[in-house]
Amino acid sequence: VRLPYGYWLFGDRPEFCPGVSSVEYVDKAVGWAAAHGIKVVLDLHGVPGSQNGFDNSGESHKPPFGDASLDAAAWLAEERVNVTMGVLAKVAARYAGDDTVVAMGLVNEPIGFSFSGFCDANCPIPREQLVSYYERAWAAVRVVNPRVVPVLDVSFRNNVWDVLSEEGAPWRAAGAMLDTHRYHGWWPRGSEVPQVAHLRRAGCGAHGDIRAMDRTALPTLVGEWSLAVTDCMTYLNGMGQAASLTNPSACGRVKCPETFGRLPPWARGGGGARPQGAVGGPDEDGMCPVDPLTAPPGPLDFDEFYARFAQYAMRGYEASRGWFFWNFKSEVGDPRWGFLDAHDAGWLPDTLDGFKPPVADCKSSDAMGLPWDGLLYTAVASVLLLLLSLPCCAAVACGWDCSAASGAGRGQGSFTQMLGNGDTPRASAGSHAGGAEPSSSVVELTGVHLPAASS
């Protein structure tokens, strides 16, 4: 399982919830995992200054809590890096004698794209600067816990890490792994993209991408993936933010969880004045937005599509050293973001032991076995959808509200993301740090080990 934590873990940071410690819950999670023979990857999700401006870093740079500007190098200032190194070393030492913790992610999703109106300076973080941070972070960990494997996030850039395998680099000797995140949820109007495009990318694209990274740089794991095809999920883009690449009217709605009762009235659909810049979230009936409740256009019905999507994704990600589904259980019930709910929907097998997912015929037909004219339709339709989305994307880049034109609110992302490179931000799930062969697949926070299918 992959367990995220922030630099405020020990409750000793005066600028972030001073006196409120959460390390006891990490101890419990590691203990529960140990009791069931499950291994744990501890992933540093938040650092002082924020490595990406996302709310999951602990510091949002978007309204209503932030000013929608980010200096991507702020977290690398010496005084902040010193704090980060201290946290990494303290966590590594705490679990040095516990072989349940097998790997440590050195930082999650440092920003690797440039987008005007969101990241205003030093974007993207230069690769060399990030490598220098990784070397320093691993040195801090290694001195107290040389047993764990270092995990290096690719920062939304898959194909620039050959430098890590050069002569003299410390990474292969340390057993280091790259961490790539694979999402469909930030495709422009992803629910309108034909089924075959999603399936072909999952069934035909992922395997080759991962193998290439493994061959040219370092062994690679898929640290996060989900079955979402839009960014509709409640507050997925941040608290007080709506879907930015999907018309909100296309999103589905489900009953909000009771835990939302702890939120301020405006954030749970209870009325009252909203903070300036706050959009989206639950409606006045207490219904929360989720991915559309219908399948993307194509011949498969809702359950058939998502079951096939899951099978093709698992097949592709088995090329990696392990994969993590984000998440074990989503607070707002949507199987696209919840492993248990996806299993209960029949989209996932009970176990991967002996499970052999279908193999897409990527040479002579499209991902669903349809003739090439079906793929041509997909390509044309996808291009048209992209072109329709670009005016809104340009408006977002300039800081305008384009909701009247497309139903999308102010957004975050990058034109690289919008062009569908597949390594878009968000969320995290679990994985096993493996050896030379692809490792067993593990689902984050499930407490259930799922052996890998034969590749």
Side-chain angles (χ1 to χ4, degrees):
V1 300
R2 180 173 179 256
L3 186 65
Y5 68 95
Y7 75 95
W8 54 88
L9 179 70
F10 295 98
D12 57 357
R13 298 308 308 165
E15 73 276 21
F16 198 113
C17 296
V20 181
S21 172
S22 54
V23 70
E24 297 83 4
Y25 293 96
V26 177
D27 288 343
K28 287 182 179 182
V30 171
W32 294 331
H36 294 280
I38 299 168
K39 302 303 182 182
V40 174
V41 177
L42 295 177
D43 191 82
L44 181 58
H45 243 63
V47 298
S50 180
Q51 72 275 19
N52 52 31
F54 306 154
D55 62 347
N56 60 34
S57 74
E59 183 177 314
S60 176
H61 281 258
K62 291 180 290 182
F65 303 107
D67 60 2
S69 63
L70 174 72
D71 180 348
W75 67 286
L76 294 172
E78 184 66 18
E79 66 275 11
R80 287 170 167 161
V81 171
N82 286 338
V83 172
T84 302
M85 296 302 111
V87 172
L88 282 169
K90 195 172 180 178
V91 170
R94 190 179 188 92
Y95 302 104
D98 192 337
D99 63 3
T100 300
V101 177
V102 295
M104 289 184 61
L106 302 181
V107 69
N108 178 70
E109 295 183 345
I111 198 163
F113 54 82
S114 180
F115 193 17
S116 174
F118 175 62
C119 188
D120 291 342
N122 299 304
C123 300
I125 301 168
R127 179 190 66 177
E128 294 73 20
Q129 200 171 1
L130 193 52
V131 170
S132 177
Y133 165 83
Y134 284 147
E135 290 173 346
R136 186 171 172 182
W138 173 231
V141 169
R142 184 181 63 233
V143 83
V144 295
N145 191 345
R147 180 186 51 78
V148 293
V149 169
V151 179
L152 286 58
D153 194 291
V154 300
S155 72
F156 315 125
R157 294 172 287 188
N158 277 344
N159 302 314
V160 299
W161 299 103
D162 54 320
V163 64
L164 298 177
S165 63
E166 291 177 355
E167 185 176 353
W171 302 113
R172 286 199 178 271
M177 292 188 291
L178 289 177
D179 179 356
T180 181
H181 299 170
R182 310 281 300 191
Y183 286 112
H184 290 223
W186 283 268
W187 281 17
R189 302 184 183 183
S191 62
E192 301 172 38
V193 173
Q195 293 177 3
V196 64
H198 289 290
L199 296 177
R200 188 169 184 83
R201 177 168 169 259
C204 303
H207 188 277
D209 292 348
I210 293 166
R211 288 291 192 203
M213 295 169 67
D214 199 289
R215 183 178 64 254
T216 61
L218 291 175
T220 301
L221 59 83
V222 178
E224 300 180 12
W225 67 281
S226 80
L227 293 171
V229 298
T230 76
D231 62 342
C232 284
M233 182 53 140
T234 307
Y235 297 145
L236 178 64
N237 288 324
M239 183 67 133
Q241 292 290 308
S244 62
L245 295 173
T246 304
N247 188 327
S249 66
C251 300
R253 294 270 168 173
V254 299
K255 188 69 176 176
C256 294
E258 292 183 3
T259 49
F260 270 36
R262 300 179 180 180
L263 297 176
W266 67 267
R268 62 174 188 263
R274 283 176 172 262
Q276 185 175 1
V279 294
D283 61 25
E284 61 276 7
D285 296 321
M287 302 295 286
C288 281
V290 295
D291 253 36
L293 302 180
T294 56
L300 303 179
D301 69 23
F302 184 79
D303 287 323
E304 290 172 336
F305 169 73
Y306 283 104
R308 183 76 64 89
F309 186 7
Q311 291 166 352
Y312 279 5
M314 287 186 286
R315 173 72 186 186
Y317 303 157
E318 284 298 312
S320 74
R321 305 308 173 99
W323 52 256
F324 301 83
F325 189 94
W326 185 280
N327 202 344
F328 161 57
K329 182 179 181 181
S330 62
E331 191 172 14
V332 178
D334 185 343
R336 274 72 62 96
W337 287 105
F339 178 82
L340 284 185
D341 288 339
H343 171 268
D344 291 344
W347 301 347
L348 300 175
D350 289 330
T351 176
L352 295 185
D353 190 7
F355 173 66
K356 294 184 178 180
V359 179
D361 183 352
C362 301
K363 294 182 179 180
S364 61
S365 62
D366 68 31
M368 291 189 291
L370 300 176
W372 275 103
D373 56 359
L375 182 58
L376 178 62
Y377 159 74
T378 296
V380 172
S382 298
V383 169
L384 288 175
L385 285 170
L386 177 61
L387 292 175
L388 287 170
S389 300
L390 286 179
C392 179
C393 298
V396 172
C398 296
W400 302 335
D401 183 356
C402 60
S403 58
S406 68
R410 291 177 186 266
Q412 65 159 81
S414 72
F415 288 110
T416 305
Q417 291 169 250
M418 293 168 187
L419 291 172
N421 73 338
D423 305 299
T424 49
R426 294 272 69 108
S428 149
S431 171
H432 166 67
E437 295 301 319
S439 75
S440 298
S441 299
V442 182
V443 183
E444 178 174 68
L445 304 183
T446 61
V448 179
H449 181 273
L450 302 176
S454 57
S455 296

